Amino acid sequence: MRELNSLGKVILTIGGVLVVLGLIVMVGERFGLGKLPGDIFIKKGNFTFFFPIVSSVILSLILTLLLNLFKR
């Protein structure tokens, strides 16, 4: 019974993290996250490649700062 209780906590934690990440992505789109200079976008014919490298770096910096603030 104890194993199911801890499994439930893990599933709830993962769900909470996914909700927070979804909110960050939704809010980030309004501020241009994903369409910044430096993000790689290649479209040739029916092939499309998109790699948001600059957006990923900025998101990483923001999350690092937030987590360090909550850690203290």
Side-chain angles (χ1 to χ4, degrees):
M1 189 66 155
R2 189 172 268 177
E3 294 85 21
L4 289 178
N5 191 19
S6 63
L7 177 64
K9 289 179 183 178
V10 169
I11 291 172
L12 282 173
T13 302
I14 291 171
V17 169
L18 288 175
V19 167
V20 170
L21 286 175
L23 289 171
I24 289 171
V25 168
M26 288 172 53
V27 170
E29 284 179 349
R30 292 185 182 181
F31 295 107
L33 198 63
K35 297 178 182 175
L36 296 173
D39 289 344
I40 299 170
F41 182 78
I42 300 171
K43 186 172 184 179
K44 291 187 178 181
N46 61 352
F47 174 76
T48 302
F49 177 76
F50 177 67
F51 186 69
I53 190 162
V54 175
S55 296
S56 298
V57 170
I58 290 175
L59 186 61
S60 176
L61 289 171
I62 291 170
L63 289 175
T64 300
L65 291 173
L66 287 175
L67 289 174
N68 280 332
L69 287 175
F70 288 124
K71 193 176 179 181
R72 293 180 183 182

